[in-house]
Amino acid sequence: MKLKIMLGSILLSSSAMAADIPDYLDVNDINNAEFVCLGETPSYSKKDQKYIDILWKETLSYLQAYATALTNDSAGDCLNSDTALFDTTNGGQKMCVMDRRDMKLMVKNIHQVLNNPEQAKRCFGAREDVDWIYNPGGDLTKNSPVAQHFKRMTFEEFFDKKVTNKEVKELGQSFSKNFYKMVTGDEVKMPAVFPYDISAKSLPNLWAAAGWFPMYAEESKRNDKNFNNIRGGYAYAEIFGHWGLLRIDTINGEKVGAEVGMTVQSVNTLYPFHNHAISEMYYNMREPACANQFQTMAIREDSPLVKTVKETDTMRRVQFDEGQHNSQTMWLSGSADQDSLLYFHQNTIHGFEIDGSCEAKPEERAIVSVWARSNAHDTRNDYGTTLLCESAANPGTPAKRGEMIQCDLTKLKW
């Protein structure tokens, strides 16, 4: 029995949103699930609750569509699963994403939320008191009564007051000014496996009020290895997860590792080569303006192309030659219509290059993605801290395409 969802269901009250339970899940795990929140249970006034209810309804809609997409086998290549690209070398390597145990657990956790919405809602809040997540501002806020009600520092204020690098500040102001166009333009499109649109065009309150983090903008030792246009042109928001709106520690006594949200990356940028000890995935939500506009490089830690140059009890330093002959074949193109789902195993080295030369107004365009991590509860493996790679020839500086790349990989604990 496939999960049946109609667009009209998002208009129902949260108590009526319980979805059909797919036959690949154990109903005994789903029905009457018991939730333990991460942190204190939020409480709200009657006035606040009106806006919390709006935000909660859109959150459930987002999660429901995401779980459906992951388990959609419409291409016929997998059973109860979408197909994911996980390594871009050797012509690209793909898998049925639901073959992974961490993905099965994440989808189960989402269905536990969907089928016990009132119980799960106790762990949900607007997080308006968190001072390191921000409101994009502009037209996105103007179109969201929830974002107007729960006040946060805007992107514009953030880049003006908290960012000291002049170039990053200027790029961030442009990013802030054009953010609404980036996430609502006609080129924003859901992959075919999604049952309905969950972009900012359909869920305006969630995208405006989720709480966004321009995670590379402020000064830090890590950002010595980053590019200024990424520092001023990238942000992510978390909906479900340890840092998000819906913060659940355990369900039925089992730790929850899911983190689900969205990302926005400006065009004309190279998201630097990086890695983390937590699995991660992206659904591309954009039609390209030209062929090969959105390119990804992903290489597994056990690839023969990766060479170990140093090792300690906790870290393995590796290098790979991105300047080797035909290195461009290590990069593959994707979009909402082509290889829309990317899955990166733990310690996969990956990067994203977004071409803006074919955009009529590149300052108004970005790649927009549904983003998630699946086993973020595994604190033994550093909770998924993003580690930026560096130039092997000039350590401490950003690694560019065409040179020897050096990365520190976490030694994973089993």
Side-chain angles (χ1 to χ4, degrees), residues 281-293:
M281 63 230 69
Y282 293 85
Y283 264 117
N284 189 322
M285 294 169 58
R286 253 215 65 176
E287 293 182 312
C290 56
N292 303 319
Q293 184 180 17

Side-chain angles (χ1 to χ4, degrees), residues 108-397:
K108 181 178 77 169
N109 289 159
I110 291 174
H111 279 283
Q112 288 167 325
V113 168
L114 295 175
N115 285 275
N116 302 275
E118 291 304 322
Q119 295 88 336
K121 192 177 180 182
R122 294 185 296 104
C123 303
F124 182 80
R127 305 272 281 161
E128 73 279 9
D129 56 336
V130 180
D131 64 3
W132 55 267
I133 52 177
Y134 306 94
N135 184 327
D139 288 340
L140 204 63
T141 298
K142 290 179 182 177
N143 291 328
S144 168
V146 176
Q148 293 173 41
H149 180 76
F150 293 114
K151 306 293 185 184
R152 282 196 182 96
M153 179 180 284
T154 65
F155 275 1
E156 185 178 5
E157 293 171 316
F158 166 80
F159 282 104
D160 181 53
K161 297 178 180 179
K162 292 194 173 185
V163 177
T164 57
N165 182 291
K166 184 178 180 181
E167 184 181 9
V168 174
K169 187 188 292 282
E170 291 176 354
L171 289 164
Q173 294 293 1
S174 176
F175 183 65
S176 306
K177 177 182 177 182
N178 293 294
F179 194 85
Y180 176 77
K181 294 176 182 177
M182 291 175 175
V183 299
T184 61
D186 292 339
E187 71 284 353
V188 175
K189 177 186 177 183
M190 301 307 304
V193 291
F194 280 77
Y196 50 81
D197 183 20
I198 58 171
S199 75
K201 293 181 282 189
S202 294
L203 302 177
N205 292 288
L206 183 62
W207 282 75
W212 290 81
F213 185 35
M215 65 180 290
Y216 297 117
E218 295 182 78
E219 296 301 318
S220 71
K221 185 65 177 176
R222 176 176 66 173
N223 277 327
D224 290 344
K225 303 177 185 179
N226 209 338
F227 304 104
N228 283 347
N229 57 7
I230 278 290
R231 293 183 58 196
Y234 174 85
Y236 85 99
E238 188 168 307
I239 298 168
F240 177 17
H242 300 77
W243 311 106
L245 306 178
L246 177 59
R247 304 175 68 231
I248 301 172
D249 185 27
T250 65
I251 303 178
N252 292 341
E254 296 180 341
K255 288 286 186 180
V256 174
E259 293 185 331
V260 182
M262 56 278 279
T263 65
V264 177
Q265 177 184 339
S266 299
V267 302
N268 280 327
T269 57
L270 169 61
Y271 192 121
F273 302 98
H274 65 287
N275 51 274
H276 32 73
I278 300 301
S279 301
E280 184 175 60
M281 63 230 69
Y282 293 85
Y283 264 117
N284 189 322
M285 294 169 58
R286 253 215 65 176
E287 293 182 312
C290 56
N292 303 319
Q293 184 180 17
F294 310 127
Q295 292 200 317
T296 299
M297 191 230 64
I299 183 169
R300 296 287 304 277
E301 67 170 331
D302 57 356
S303 169
L305 298 173
V306 173
K307 306 300 181 185
T308 301
V309 296
K310 180 182 177 181
E311 203 163 359
T312 71
D313 291 342
T314 59
M315 173 272 290
R316 182 166 68 99
R317 181 164 296 164
V318 301
Q319 294 180 351
F320 72 96
D321 187 2
E322 211 284 323
Q324 62 187 285
H325 179 62
N326 290 333
S327 65
Q328 68 273 12
T329 61
M330 299 170 72
W331 294 77
L332 293 181
S333 299
S335 69
D337 298 318
Q338 174 190 341
D339 291 330
S340 61
L341 177 59
L342 303 171
Y343 178 95
F344 302 127
H345 297 78
Q346 299 97 316
N347 276 342
T348 293
I349 300 167
H350 54 290
F352 311 107
E353 184 162 56
I354 315 301
D355 182 14
S357 64
C358 54
E359 298 278 13
K361 295 182 178 180
E363 70 278 3
E364 297 180 359
R365 295 295 176 259
I367 186 171
V368 184
S369 303
V370 178
W371 162 89
R373 289 181 175 179
S374 53
N375 42 21
H377 63 294
D378 193 347
T379 54
R380 298 170 304 169
N381 291 318
D382 199 26
Y383 199 69
T385 299
T386 300
L387 303 173
L388 301 184
C389 300
E390 60 189 2
S391 165
N394 298 288
T397 65

